[in-house]
Amino acid sequence: MNHQVKPEHITLLDNLLGTEARQWGNARKLPAALRVTEIMEPAGGNRIPVYPASYPNAIYDLNGKKTDAKGEVIGYRHAVIDSYQSQANRMEPAFLADKLRSLVPQITVKVPRKKDSDAAPTEDEINVLEVAHRVADFRVRLSDAGEQVKIAIKSFDGGNALPLLRLMPTSVLFGFWDSRDLGTKHARILLSRIDAFDVMPCQKHSIYSGMYSQEEARNLLPDAEATKADNEILSGRGYTNAIGSGLGGVLVDGGITRTSILSFTDIARIHCMDGSNFDVVKTNAARRYLFALGVLAEAFQREMGSYHLRSGCELITVGDVRYELRGGGENPALIDLCKDQNALVKVAAEAMAILEINASVQTFTMTAESIAAEFAETKGKKPDQNEKPAAKKAAAKKAAAKKAAKGITDVPEDESNEE
């Protein structure tokens, strides 16, 4: 088997993403993004409810109420089945798969545990591809690689993506927000979400048949009284019947769609530096690398056979997956490359060699002492220093509203960097 990348693939991608191609006046003629769409169905068929992600207070993310003539809610136009955040966390582990794991650094973090005050300390290990906040996750930030991480984020914030690509390239692809340290926020280059349309929420009911009636249980237990609190204890512990109800998923009338967008415009914002000099060769290689990783990650769940998101929500793809270029003209060769996983692996491997990305296994270690040190430092700060940026902003708005009520006017804060 030929493991060398085809020169025409390099040329194709450089003509799409390269520094010369993405110049003012020329970039508008090129595609701005790749959109991948697929129609989905529940594995059990369209006649049974599918379970979206649920949130605190037992709610789904439902939008666009549909009401009858009396104003009663009879359904919703849209339900979020899986959000951008969830899909990113499902796509990133693609690079744990045997075929793809050699394309990114494989880093595990040792995490201290002490679940009981009397227990001896232990350690867990987790691959950074599975941590929620990528390079900004506290397990990475407080490890013995913390200084290296900080340098990589600072360099990225300053316009040089190379150190972060060598350390944790999926953070560049899937985004991160270092909200607890440097404040750097980087939006996702690859977005994916699953939505259902024209839905009707359902409710589920359940019953657990206990061994005893409430009366018999009280006859057996001298301390049990005929009160609501004691009856709840009896049913809660399984002695007597327990009746429950809750969210029962949604019936979908308008179909389910997964939509993924890989932004070429965002990829073209990535640059690599050689010292203080702009490095064209490495920049173009970095953009080819991110393109290949993005297309491979987008297809990962589909290649696993189904989208098993949660209990009651396993989705399958129905029909052909549609690849579209948004903006610019058609480019059949680029679409063909997106569908050729072997070619994409070769593109990524060739770029890795140029960027000197090492995919060997590394181990970061986080200690109880490092956690304690940060906790002590944070605890020692003034209360207003511990507030999160969002909390500070909310407090500032509240104070501004009070001033406005008194006729005092302030110049509004620039909020252009909000999510």
Side-chain angles (χ1 to χ4, degrees), residues 283-301:
T283 294
N284 287 348
R287 295 176 183 183
R288 296 195 300 270
Y289 180 56
L290 290 169
F291 171 90
L293 294 188
V295 179
L296 288 166
E298 186 281 327
F300 172 64
Q301 295 172 89

Side-chain angles (χ1 to χ4, degrees), residues 32-191:
L34 169 72
R35 182 172 70 179
V36 185
T37 53
E38 53 189 306
I39 305 302
M40 316 185 86
E41 286 184 1
N46 284 324
R47 293 187 177 184
I48 66 170
V50 63
Y51 282 70
S54 59
Y55 298 91
N57 300 320
I59 59 172
Y60 293 138
D61 192 348
L62 302 172
N63 306 286
K65 290 180 181 178
K66 298 170 68 176
T67 58
D68 60 17
K70 296 180 180 179
E72 298 290 331
V73 176
I74 58 173
Y76 292 83
R77 291 181 173 83
H78 171 252
V80 178
I81 302 296
D82 221 35
S83 66
Y84 288 128
Q85 299 93 320
S86 294
Q87 278 289 291
N89 289 338
R90 297 184 200 279
M91 290 187 289
E92 192 169 10
F95 302 104
L96 292 175
D98 290 342
K99 188 175 180 180
L100 304 182
R101 65 183 299 111
S102 64
L103 300 182
V104 303
Q106 294 293 321
I107 301 170
T108 59
V109 182
K110 289 185 177 180
V111 181
R113 304 301 295 263
K114 191 173 173 62
K115 297 180 180 180
D116 189 289
S117 59
D118 297 325
T122 60
E123 281 186 332
D124 283 349
E125 285 196 30
I126 186 170
N127 193 295
V128 296
L129 297 171
E130 299 175 286
V131 301
H133 302 287
R134 287 169 276 283
V135 73
D137 195 276
F138 86 103
R139 286 162 285 196
V140 177
R141 181 168 48 85
L142 296 184
S143 73
D144 54 2
E147 192 59 33
Q148 181 186 1
V149 167
K150 185 175 291 188
I151 291 171
I153 294 175
K154 282 184 176 179
S155 295
F156 185 82
D157 205 20
N160 181 15
L162 189 55
L164 187 54
L165 286 170
R166 287 173 173 169
L167 181 68
M168 292 181 65
T170 54
S171 293
V172 181
L173 183 64
F174 294 110
F176 66 93
W177 183 17
D178 188 17
S179 62
R180 294 172 177 83
D181 195 358
L182 300 174
T184 300
K185 183 187 293 186
H186 169 57
R188 296 177 183 86
I189 290 173
L190 173 62
L191 295 171

